[in-house]
Amino acid sequence: MNPYSGHILLVDDEPAFQRLGAAWLQGLGFRVTLAGDVDSALQSFREARPDVVLLDLVMPPSLKPEAGLSLLEAFREVPVIVITGHADHALALEATERGAWDFIAKPVDPELLRLIVGRAVQKARLEQEVQALKAAASVDEDYGIVGHAAPVRALRDMIRRVGPTRLSVVILGPTGTGKELVARALHKTGARNGAPFVAVHCGAVPAELLESELFGHLKGSFTGAHRDQPGLLASADGGTLFLDEVGEMPAPMQVKLLRFLQEGTYLPVGGRELKRADVRVVAATHRDLPGMVADGSFREDLFYRLKGIVLRTPPLDERRDDVPLLATLFLKRAVGARRRAQLAPDAAAWLAGQPWPGNVRELQSLMDCAAALAEPNARGEVVVGLDALLFAQGSGDGSAKPEPEPRRQGLDEAIAELEVRMITAALNATNNNRSESARLLGISRVGLLKKLDRLGLRQDHPAAER
Ligand SMILES: Nc1ncnc2c1ncn2[C@@H]1O[C@H](COP(=O)(O)OP(=O)(O)OP(=O)(O)O)[C@@H](O)[C@H]1O
């Protein structure tokens, strides 16, 4: 990869240096954004998201080095190269102590600038890669199914046990609860991992096309069939076929699917020769499949063929304690690895109290929306508070949820309830890290420990940090 392909924020108030420095860096292949004072430097950092900052410490309006030094904290996510005068050795050392990655003296030697900036960009890239790998690793451990709630832990345990078998699986659960995520996890944990995972939404394909979609068709078998077309069963051969919303499958197609499941063979539309495919079938629906069997709208024999085992994805309402954790995950994903992001305690507590009829998907889209609307603070962090969430919710679907009716209770009781909600939310959002939770809540660690004892929360939230 070209070592000179990064994005540099050049912060210097001297127009001549801006011009020459930018031209030299651009000539090497870097993208350059310019800023000439403290405020525009902060704004450009937020908007341009550079890989590296070149920073002159003495700038308007104050022309005092302290103003430049204070920017080091705001830019701490990326390597900062400080530009100093020749006589400013002490200042350069102080800048390095306060987080600058390197320094270079004016008048700047262009070759030295090339070397230092090139190294800084490489460091920035490595750090970005490490962050991305860490994020991916922490998600992979749980097959991307995040949550500490008992039904979620039980679900992951079942996936670990059922994934490697050949059993077919039916996943039942309300919309947006992660059924497809579970199906993919089953595929990933099984021996078919390297083969394709093919999903078909049985309700989204018109009934008359579903057969050809699954089994394929031969040229001329119907108007518009201009050539032979293999179906999704053929594409999934050796892997997993995920039948999403299987409850929507029309009755004639149910018969044909059953035949395939029993015999392992199928007939493409317009074909005479049976084809064979080796697929593991995982089916899912938000509908009450056993109820549909009982009322005759879903074939009983097919249901028993599909249901080697039944897994259930719980509604988000039944795993409220996971809401802040999931919300923080989605917020971080939406903001990206290069920015820090966190949920303010009032936001976490509010989220945990919402009904979530659209389940995890609804929470995810709210966090996507909040992340898109949120402005990073002066330190480049995105902190989503309750006001931002309410705003995002209003702009998301235009229907702010009404606040629940206040219950009749005394002030002490109400305060204790609020404390429990905010503390639980902070602990969940930080994986029970007490120091981090105390910081989020704006209290000391000792203060938090006392509250945990007073509110009887200590045993529910064992300490995570050593
Ligand atoms: N426990 C979880 N951890 C992380 N992400 C989750 C979790 N559960 C669901 N999601 C995310 O929520 C979104 C909705 O999940 P998914 O599509 O799997 O739900 P579904 O039950 O199949 O929905 P539908 O019934 O509408 O098809 C996806 O982006 C998924 O990654």
Side-chain angles (χ1 to χ4, degrees):
M1 188 186 283
N2 177 5
Y4 306 121
S5 62
H7 186 175
I8 315 292
L9 173 61
L10 171 54
V11 186
D12 195 302
D13 63 321
E14 269 183 52
F17 184 73
Q18 278 198 354
R19 214 174 37 250
L20 287 173
W24 170 245
L25 292 168
Q26 281 162 345
L28 290 169
F30 293 113
R31 243 170 356 115
V32 180
T33 298
L34 293 170
D37 57 57
V38 171
D39 287 343
S40 65
L42 282 170
Q43 189 179 350
S44 301
F45 184 78
R46 274 198 300 272
E47 289 168 2
R49 300 186 173 204
D51 298 302
V52 168
V53 178
L54 264 170
L55 174 66
D56 186 355
L57 291 177
V58 183
M59 271 184 309
S62 76
L63 295 176
K64 292 196 182 117
E66 186 49 41
L69 285 169
S70 70
L71 286 174
L72 289 170
E73 171 63 14
F75 298 162
R76 68 167 190 273
E77 288 163 40
V78 303
V80 178
I81 301 161
V82 161
I83 309 166
T84 60
H86 245 321
D88 289 339
H89 229 72
L91 185 59
L93 288 179
E94 183 177 355
T96 315
E97 239 170 50
R98 288 173 65 169
W101 185 67
D102 206 341
F103 57 89
I104 186 165
K106 272 186 180 172
V108 171
D109 170 358
E111 276 307 306
L112 195 59
L113 182 66
R114 178 178 68 79
L115 276 178
I116 294 181
V117 173
R119 275 195 313 126
V121 168
Q122 268 175 343
K123 172 185 156 58
R125 281 216 192 101
L126 283 175
E127 269 174 11
Q128 286 158 20
E129 272 171 35
V130 169
Q131 289 298 331
L133 286 173
K134 269 193 190 160
S138 65
V139 164
D140 274 351
E141 271 167 30
D142 295 338
Y143 324 115
I145 302 171
V146 172
H148 299 313
V152 178
R153 279 189 275 127
L155 187 60
R156 279 198 296 261
D157 188 43
M158 285 302 279
I159 292 169
R160 247 184 301 276
R161 286 153 59 188
V162 175
T165 69
R166 292 182 63 92
L167 287 171
S168 44
V169 179
V170 171
I171 307 164
L172 300 177
T175 182
T177 47
K179 295 187 292 298
E180 177 158 355
L181 204 57
V182 170
R184 287 183 185 276
L186 287 167
H187 176 71
K188 267 194 237 160
T189 45
R192 294 165 179 263
N193 187 5
F197 174 92
V198 176
V200 57
H201 191 297
C202 301
V205 182
E208 62 282 10
L209 289 186
L210 189 56
E211 182 180 356
S212 125
E213 186 79 4
L214 279 176
F215 295 164
H217 62 252
L218 296 186
K219 180 178 168 184
S221 52
F222 53 86
T223 322
H226 299 304
R227 55 192 170 85
D228 290 0
Q229 176 78 44
L232 295 176
L233 272 182
S235 312
D237 196 14
T240 304
L241 179 71
F242 175 50
L243 296 171
D244 199 3
E245 291 314 338
V246 74
E248 316 298 319
M249 186 175 277
M253 193 60 219
Q254 292 182 23
V255 182
K256 291 178 179 160
L257 178 64
L258 178 64
R259 196 173 310 137
F260 167 70
L261 292 175
Q262 281 169 341
E263 288 151 30
T265 55
Y266 63 96
L267 207 51
V269 176
R272 294 185 175 187
E273 201 184 314
L274 283 175
K275 301 263 182 199
R276 188 164 283 282
D278 166 30
V279 299
R280 179 188 198 177
V281 174
V282 177
T285 181
H286 72 282
R287 297 180 60 177
D288 169 17
L289 212 51
M292 290 176 73
V293 169
D295 71 19
S297 52
F298 197 85
R299 289 185 70 102
E300 187 174 14
D301 42 10
L302 177 59
F303 176 65
Y304 286 112
R305 264 283 158 184
L306 289 172
K307 103 168 193 46
I309 196 126
V310 174
L311 299 181
R312 289 179 197 274
T313 52
L316 194 50
D317 201 28
E318 286 175 18
R319 37 178 159 146
R320 275 176 186 283
D321 284 356
D322 283 346
V323 170
L325 182 66
L326 284 164
T328 307
L329 169 83
F330 296 139
L331 175 64
K332 289 192 169 164
R333 269 193 205 155
V335 162
R338 298 200 35 213
R339 284 230 181 278
R340 287 179 189 223
Q342 57 171 291
L343 215 50
D346 62 346
W350 180 83
L351 287 168
Q354 293 302 297
W356 302 116
N359 295 297
V360 185
R361 182 178 294 112
E362 185 186 359
L363 175 64
Q364 185 172 18
S365 54
L366 178 64
M367 297 318 296
D368 282 348
C369 194
L373 294 174
E375 290 278 344
N377 61 19
R379 285 179 298 159
E381 261 177 350
V382 173
V383 182
V384 170
L386 179 55
D387 49 348
L389 284 181
L390 293 174
F391 185 61
Q393 191 186 47
S395 72
D397 62 5
S399 63
K401 288 178 187 167
E403 283 294 314
E405 281 277 303
R407 280 196 290 127
R408 285 184 185 281
Q409 60 184 165
L411 186 60
D412 287 347
E413 203 190 332
I415 291 172
E417 193 178 302
L418 181 67
E419 280 187 320
V420 169
R421 273 168 61 186
M422 288 183 67
I423 291 173
T424 306
L427 288 165
N428 285 333
T430 60
N431 266 333
N432 286 340
N433 183 313
R434 289 172 177 175
S435 311
E436 185 70 5
S437 301
R439 201 175 66 77
L440 271 180
L441 293 161
I443 58 178
S444 69
R445 189 170 181 282
V446 175
L448 174 62
L449 292 178
K450 282 189 185 155
K451 281 184 192 294
L452 286 175
D453 283 337
R454 183 165 53 77
L455 299 165
L457 291 174
R458 217 190 248 247
Q459 66 284 9
D460 296 342
H461 294 276
E465 71 267 48
R466 273 176 271 276

